[in-house]
């Protein structure tokens, strides 16, 4: 399990994370959503040790990640912008990451799955954006890591590749992995996520299952529900019926500064 | 670290700019040989080119290389590798490929013109050594600048300013000081001031080795007079090695604290 405890981070005068507390569960796909500059990528990067938090703790399998690099063996990371060294060939990049991880994992199945075979001897600089994203996916998923962090995984993919990616992610969930996704494509999130965590101004604004969020805001799609949240419209069912305590949309702002 | 170094090195050796850089030195050296068959004169001319050009190109290469590989560094940071390994490996990749371009570009024509038969072989090796040391120092400074400044324009601006300062302005200031305070004994000051400029120090080192007093300038002459040629050269080489270490250690320090 990955636990985030009271995470604070400030860049210059800009306080990006204001006491985030969350756990990412096994066999769950958690989508971290939020408007631009809400702190999603900072959170992802903190999990990877790329951003060093001002205070707070991140535990991966109960081990603090501070000044530690071995835990990253357990994490497959798909960065947002897939820009690799232009002069390396696809196969050299994959071999390199394998060597860096000192692993003999095979990428053959994934290369066939995304039909990348014809490109393995191409230089990365000559690939199209979508093909590069597929290479990015292969490098993130080839190691069979128990944790997957996918930052905008759908960027540049054609419809067929997108379906293949979705199937692949669901299959990985079936292998009891902990999967974390950020995306601005709400239909993708709605289809894939078991839990949505919505971050606003460096705090968790609400969290819960996408279906519940839609119901709460009376929208047909998650996209519209999120739009309502962002434009400050009230949710439905404030007074009618079910108790809101165990519901989603519990504002978590009160948890700050304690 | 060797793993990172290997890949960044191969990546750079295949890049067009490394080839252009190498070809430039090869053509220059060939041209100098065609114009003048005297090996020691070729060495002096090359020295002047190397002292000016190597720092500039190494600085710019260091800066460009870091900015171009920012996303790649992010990928490396997400792997189970220590930060110091990543950055020092990358830096050594730039420094080595620059040094190798210089060695091949300047070296091959010299082999062709029979450097091994000549008495100038040690002067020639000193020139190459200085070229390599300067490549390492300035590639390191360039890398450090890029690591420090997210903004590319600031990074390039500072790199070019540092080059201008050390290659041109520094000597001017030194001369000015010497002229103003010519009534005082300034030898020790001159020696210590030249320690702070690796380009100056390299020039002194080569000229002490070549023993051309006419070209030594004030600091070179002071070095020879007060320290003697051998002592002067030892100190110059020692300080140059410290200069190689400074950016290396700073890269390591800075990389440990930085957010990406």
């Amino acid at each position: 399990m990955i636990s985030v405890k009271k995470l604070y981070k400030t860049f210059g005068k800009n306080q990006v994370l204001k006491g985030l507390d969350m756990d990412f569960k096994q066999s769950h796909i958690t989508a971290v959503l939020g408007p631009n500059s809400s702190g999603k990528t900072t959170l992802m990067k903190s999990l990877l040790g790329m951003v060093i938090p001002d205070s707070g703790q991140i535990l991966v399998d109960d081990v603090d990640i501070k000044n530690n690099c071995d835990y990253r063996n357990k994490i497959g990371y798909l960065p947002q912008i897939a820009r690799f060294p232009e002069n390396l060939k696809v196969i050299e990049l994959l071999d390199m990451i394998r060597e860096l991880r000192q692993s003999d994992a095979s990428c053959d199945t994934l290369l066939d799955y995304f039909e990348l075979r014809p490109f393995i001897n191409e230089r990365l600089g000559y690939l199209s954006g979508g093909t590069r994203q597929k290479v990015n996916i292969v490098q993130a998923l080839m190691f069979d890591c128990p944790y997957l962090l996918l930052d905008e995984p759908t960027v540049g993919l054609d419809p067929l590749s997108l379906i293949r990616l979705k199937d692949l992610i669901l299959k990985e969930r079936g292998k009891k992995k902990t999967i974390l996704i950020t995306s601005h494509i709400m239909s993708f999130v709605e289809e894939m996520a078991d839990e949505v965590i919505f971050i606003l101004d460096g705090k968790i604004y609400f969290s819960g299952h996408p279906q519940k969020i839609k119901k709460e805001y009376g929208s047909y799609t998650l996209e519209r529900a999120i739009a309502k949240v962002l434009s400050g419209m009230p949710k439905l069912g404030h007074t009618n019926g079910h108790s809101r305590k165990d519901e989603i949309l519990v504002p978590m702002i009160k948890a700050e500064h304690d | 670290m060797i793993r990172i170094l290997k890949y960044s090195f191969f990546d750079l050796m295949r890049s067009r700019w490394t080839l252009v850089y190498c070809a430039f030195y090869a053509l220059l050296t060939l041209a100098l040989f065609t114009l003048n068959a005297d090996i020691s004169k070729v060495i002096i001319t090359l020295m002047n080119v190397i002292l000016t050009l190597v720092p500039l190109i190494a600085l710019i290469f260091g800066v460009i290389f870091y900015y171009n590989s920012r996303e790649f560094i992010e990928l490396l940071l997400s792997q189970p590798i220590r930060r110091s390994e990543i950055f020092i490996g990358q830096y050594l990749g730039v420094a080595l490929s620059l040094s190798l371009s210089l060695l091949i570009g300047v070296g091959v024509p010299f082999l062709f013109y029979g450097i091994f038969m000549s008495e100038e072989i040690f002067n020639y090796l000193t020139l190459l050594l200085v070229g390599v040391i300067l490549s390492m120092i300035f590639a390191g400074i360039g890398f450090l600048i890029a690591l420090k400044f997210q903004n590319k324009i600031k990074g390039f601006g500072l790199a070019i300013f540092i080059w201008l300062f050390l290659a041109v302005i520094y000597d001017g200031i030194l001369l000015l000081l010497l002229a103003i305070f010519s009534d005082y004994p300034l030898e020790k000051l001159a020696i210590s001031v030249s320690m702070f400029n690796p380009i100056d120090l390299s020039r002194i080192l080569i000229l002490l080795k070549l023993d051309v007093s006419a070209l030594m300038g004030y600091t070179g002459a002071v070095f020879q007079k007060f320290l003697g040629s051998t002592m002067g050269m030892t100190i110059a080489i020692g300080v140059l090695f410290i200069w190689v270490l400074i950016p290396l250690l700073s890269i390591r320090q800075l990389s440990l604290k930085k957010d990406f």
Side-chain angles (χ1 to χ4, degrees):
Chain A
M1 193 168 78
I2 299 181
S3 307
V4 174
K5 289 178 179 162
K6 296 203 176 66
L7 211 59
Y8 285 87
K9 178 69 191 175
T10 308
F11 289 116
K13 285 179 185 168
N14 186 10
Q15 200 175 12
V16 181
L17 300 181
K18 301 173 186 169
L20 279 186
D21 271 296
M22 54 180 80
D23 289 331
F24 299 109
K25 302 186 197 84
Q26 208 184 25
S27 306
H28 250 61
I29 299 175
T30 309
V32 178
L33 306 183
N36 301 332
S37 74
S38 57
K40 300 184 299 274
T41 299
T42 307
L43 171 66
M44 280 273 197
K45 288 183 171 179
S46 307
L47 294 177
L48 285 159
M50 288 158 74
V51 165
I52 300 159
D54 299 336
S55 66
Q57 233 187 352
I58 297 170
L59 305 173
V60 173
D61 290 338
D62 299 324
V63 180
D64 194 336
I65 66 164
K66 210 172 185 177
N67 300 324
N68 182 349
C69 71
D70 296 330
Y71 80 96
R72 290 200 283 269
N73 253 323
K74 297 180 194 164
I75 297 181
Y77 172 55
L78 183 99
Q80 196 172 30
I81 307 164
R83 253 180 62 194
F84 301 117
E86 297 190 349
N87 293 312
L88 280 185
K89 294 174 182 169
V90 172
I91 194 74
E92 287 170 330
L93 176 85
L94 296 173
D95 284 341
M96 175 184 73
I97 296 176
R98 227 192 316 246
E99 198 183 327
L100 294 174
R101 291 210 167 210
Q102 292 167 323
S103 149
D104 50 4
S106 164
C107 56
D108 294 345
T109 338
L110 280 171
L111 285 177
D112 289 330
Y113 186 68
F114 284 108
E115 291 169 5
L116 282 171
R117 283 280 169 205
F119 300 103
I120 57 171
N121 283 313
E122 295 274 337
R123 294 197 182 178
L124 287 152
Y126 300 152
L127 296 182
S128 74
T131 312
R132 223 174 306 171
Q133 180 66 357
K134 289 187 210 168
V135 175
N136 196 8
I137 294 171
V138 172
Q139 67 80 19
L141 294 180
M142 63 194 272
F143 296 104
D144 205 23
C145 305
Y147 301 103
L148 297 177
L149 306 188
L150 313 175
D151 205 349
E152 295 284 354
T154 60
V155 171
L157 295 181
D158 59 55
L160 179 62
S161 310
L162 183 59
I163 288 183
R164 286 185 176 150
L165 173 68
K166 286 177 185 170
D167 290 345
L168 189 62
I169 294 177
L170 292 175
K171 205 173 104 193
E172 294 291 320
R173 179 179 63 179
K175 290 192 219 161
K176 305 209 161 161
K177 299 194 175 181
T178 310
I179 302 170
L180 198 69
I181 294 178
T182 70
S183 179
H184 287 295
I185 315 291
M186 287 305 133
S187 55
F188 176 74
V189 171
E190 194 174 345
E191 194 178 335
M192 306 294 295
D194 301 303
E195 191 181 359
V196 168
I197 293 178
F198 193 91
I199 300 183
L200 198 63
D201 291 333
K203 285 171 285 201
I204 297 179
Y205 192 65
F206 60 70
S207 61
H209 192 279
Q211 293 303 330
K212 288 186 184 171
I213 295 171
K214 284 194 315 192
K215 214 166 117 193
E216 190 84 3
Y217 279 87
S219 303
Y220 290 110
T221 62
L222 184 64
E223 193 170 23
R224 292 197 176 275
I226 298 291
K228 279 188 183 175
V229 178
L230 289 177
S231 57
M233 281 169 75
K235 42 190 143 175
L236 294 179
H238 268 209
T239 47
N240 55 3
H242 51 270
S243 108
R244 280 187 54 237
K245 270 180 196 148
D246 49 67
E247 273 297 343
I248 41 79
L249 304 178
V250 178
M252 302 195 49
I253 301 159
K254 63 180 189 308
E256 70 171 317
H257 301 307
D258 54 8
Chain B
M1 189 162 79
I2 302 297
R3 299 171 284 177
I4 312 255
L5 168 63
K6 197 177 93 187
Y7 281 99
S8 65
F9 179 71
F10 282 133
D11 184 41
L12 277 160
M13 282 321 276
R14 256 189 283 174
S15 110
R16 208 178 299 130
W17 292 110
T18 325
L19 291 177
V20 169
Y21 186 59
C22 184
F24 169 78
Y25 280 117
L27 286 175
L28 177 74
T29 316
L30 277 175
L32 288 176
F33 270 116
T34 338
L35 293 171
N36 195 333
D38 185 350
I39 290 188
S40 72
K41 282 183 183 157
V42 172
I43 290 180
I44 290 177
T45 315
L46 269 177
M47 174 200 79
N48 282 319
V49 176
I50 287 180
L51 287 179
T52 325
L53 212 57
V54 164
L56 178 65
I57 302 288
L59 269 169
I60 298 293
F61 247 75
V63 173
I64 291 182
F65 179 69
Y66 178 81
Y67 283 142
N68 279 349
S69 50
R70 263 198 289 206
E71 279 82 8
F72 181 59
I73 284 174
E74 288 190 6
L75 180 67
L76 288 177
L77 285 166
S78 70
Q79 307 295 329
I81 314 162
R82 281 175 204 294
R83 281 187 173 198
S84 51
E85 273 185 56
I86 297 173
F87 290 94
I88 291 182
Q90 290 258 358
Y91 155 69
L92 287 178
V94 195
L96 274 184
S97 61
L98 281 171
S99 306
L100 205 66
S101 302
L102 179 76
L103 289 181
I104 293 173
V106 176
V108 173
F110 266 92
L111 287 179
F112 199 64
Y113 280 88
I115 183 72
F116 284 118
M117 315 285 205
S118 161
E119 297 152 16
E120 301 279 345
I121 176 88
F122 288 106
N123 295 341
Y124 166 72
L125 289 178
T126 313
L127 178 74
L128 287 187
L129 176 73
V130 164
V132 168
I133 292 180
L134 282 177
S135 301
M136 300 200 69
I137 295 173
F138 285 94
I141 296 177
F143 200 83
L144 188 65
I145 290 173
L147 191 64
K148 179 85 190 166
F149 296 97
Q150 205 81 325
N151 184 333
K152 290 187 188 187
I153 297 180
K154 269 190 198 163
F156 280 111
L158 185 60
I160 289 176
F161 175 76
I162 286 181
W163 174 77
L164 258 182
F165 183 76
L166 292 181
V168 184
I169 301 173
Y170 202 89
D171 281 351
I173 293 177
L174 190 64
L175 268 180
L176 207 64
L177 278 180
L178 294 175
I180 294 171
F181 298 103
S182 54
D183 294 343
Y184 302 90
L186 288 171
E187 287 82 1
K188 280 187 183 143
L189 177 78
I191 291 180
S192 35
V193 164
S194 62
M195 300 285 181
F196 290 99
N197 185 347
I199 300 178
D200 227 19
L201 215 50
S202 305
R203 180 183 298 125
I204 292 168
L205 176 62
I206 299 176
L207 291 173
L208 285 176
K209 178 74 191 115
L210 286 171
D211 207 18
V212 210
S213 36
L215 292 173
M216 257 177 217
Y218 183 79
T219 41
V222 168
F223 250 75
Q224 194 175 34
K225 188 176 158 206
F226 279 81
L227 301 165
S229 283
T230 324
M231 187 62 181
M233 278 167 62
T234 318
I235 289 181
I237 287 195
V239 176
L240 279 176
F241 274 110
I242 295 175
W243 263 103
V244 173
L245 286 179
I246 292 171
L248 193 70
L249 295 177
S250 319
I251 288 171
R252 190 177 172 278
Q253 270 321 100
L254 191 59
S255 73
L256 290 181
K257 283 185 229 146
K258 195 175 154 70
D259 293 316
F260 291 90

